[in-house]
Amino acid sequence: MAVELERKAGVAFIDEDYKLAVDLFSKALKIRPNNAELLASRAQANIMLHDYLEAVGDAIKAIQLDPSMAKAYLRKGIACFKLEEYQTAKVALEKGVRFAQNDPRFAKLIKECNDCIAVENASITVGRGASTALAKPKYRHEYYQKPEEVVVTIFAKGIPENNVVVHFAVQTLSVAIEVPGLTPYYLHLRLFGKIIPDNSRYAVMSTKVEIRLAKAEALNWPSLEISDKDQRPTNPSSKAKVIDWDKLQAQIEEEEKEEELKDDATRNADTQRTMNKKT
């Protein structure tokens, strides 16, 4: 039964019906709750649905069941990265790469984590006034918007594409431009509205870097960045909440126990009704 559910879930995933895939993997996990492969597969489907917290929970449990499962570390790293928990993502990826030396995805994602961590650290330094050199950006930026997207332009001439790193998250944009001999340029924005990271893109041109942010909703943004009056942090170090992954996993396990108790109670009630009918 679990094998057939897993097969159907795999077909649904290939067909890009990720919601159905999650549902089928969940049913299979009720039959085989300690199956690391099923948990890692459901984590991937949750990532595709942008349900990153669920993906992290599945990946953590898969790692507990199979500490050498490279793809579980990869999926934890990807989900944490999407949640902007770059340091946690980096730790997971560095552990996982030991079990997948030839998988280039680990090295690529670790580099992206390092880039984002560098952007955050540079922004913190500027915020504290510790570095006047970084406080003065070399390039200027501006933006305009359409119903479906916001276009951010950084006016920077003759920048090689390899020297530009852009990272999209649900409500942040991070840009790093590092050219040898020039002061590094870092731009980290807490966006006014949410975007769809996978649909956002950028292009490095001869006179500028053009960044297109795909809006999650077709709403007008009064400004590019969220303001203090909206009670949202503009300093990347001032996150509203630091996620305690151990506590999260404990909550997940507690919920699973409650579900199992409910299932047992339902089965016992059904058994009792059957016995009463027989008597």
Side-chain angles (χ1 to χ4, degrees), residues 63 70 72-74 76-78 80 87-97 106:
I63 290 167
Y73 290 101
L74 179 65
K76 180 183 177 182
I78 291 171
C80 288
Q87 192 60 51
T88 304
K90 180 182 175 183
V91 170
L93 293 165
E94 287 178 338
K95 288 181 179 178
V97 74
F106 283 92

Side-chain angles (χ1 to χ4, degrees), residues 48-77:
M48 301 308 292
L49 288 172
H50 298 176
D51 198 345
Y52 303 122
L53 280 174
E54 289 293 332
V56 171
D58 282 342
I60 288 174
K61 191 165 184 180
I63 290 167
Q64 289 175 343
L65 292 167
D66 184 355
S68 64
M69 181 180 281
K71 62 186 174 184
Y73 290 101
L74 179 65
R75 284 156 197 179
K76 180 183 177 182

Side-chain angles (χ1 to χ4, degrees), residues 62-164:
I63 290 167
Q64 289 175 343
L65 292 167
D66 184 355
S68 64
M69 181 180 281
K71 62 186 174 184
Y73 290 101
L74 179 65
R75 284 156 197 179
K76 180 183 177 182
I78 291 171
C80 288
F81 188 91
K82 293 293 187 180
L83 289 166
E84 302 175 48
E85 296 290 337
Y86 306 123
Q87 192 60 51
T88 304
K90 180 182 175 183
V91 170
L93 293 165
E94 287 178 338
K95 288 181 179 178
V97 74
R98 293 178 297 177
F99 307 107
Q101 297 287 341
N102 297 322
D103 190 335
R105 291 175 296 177
F106 283 92
K108 179 177 181 294
L109 284 167
I110 289 170
K111 182 182 182 303
E112 290 183 10
C113 286
N114 286 331
D115 289 335
C116 291
I117 291 168
V119 170
E120 287 192 341
N121 290 340
S123 298
I124 293 168
T125 301
V126 171
R128 291 173 178 169
S131 173
T132 56
L134 290 176
K136 297 179 181 179
K138 182 175 178 62
Y139 313 116
R140 65 182 178 88
H141 71 276
E142 62 182 39
Y143 82 102
Y144 68 91
Q145 63 181 303
K146 302 177 183 178
E148 72 283 357
E149 69 177 359
V150 175
V151 181
V152 179
T153 302
I154 300 173
F155 294 94
K157 294 182 180 180
I159 304 300
E161 186 172 356
N162 292 339
N163 295 91
V164 179

Side-chain angles (χ1 to χ4, degrees), residues 12-24:
F13 188 93
I14 292 171
D15 291 340
E16 298 184 5
D17 191 344
Y18 305 120
K19 191 173 185 302
L20 176 59
V22 167
D23 182 56
L24 291 168

Side-chain angles (χ1 to χ4, degrees), residues 185-224:
Y185 171 85
Y186 299 113
L187 178 67
H188 186 76
L189 303 176
R190 289 280 179 177
L191 301 171
F192 185 89
K194 293 184 178 181
I195 64 172
I196 304 173
D198 292 342
N199 293 348
S200 300
R201 61 196 187 280
Y202 73 96
V204 180
M205 305 178 188
S206 60
T207 59
K208 61 184 179 181
V209 179
E210 186 175 88
I211 303 166
R212 294 183 174 270
L213 307 172
K215 290 181 179 178
E217 298 179 281
L219 302 175
N220 183 65
W221 293 8
S223 61
L224 178 61

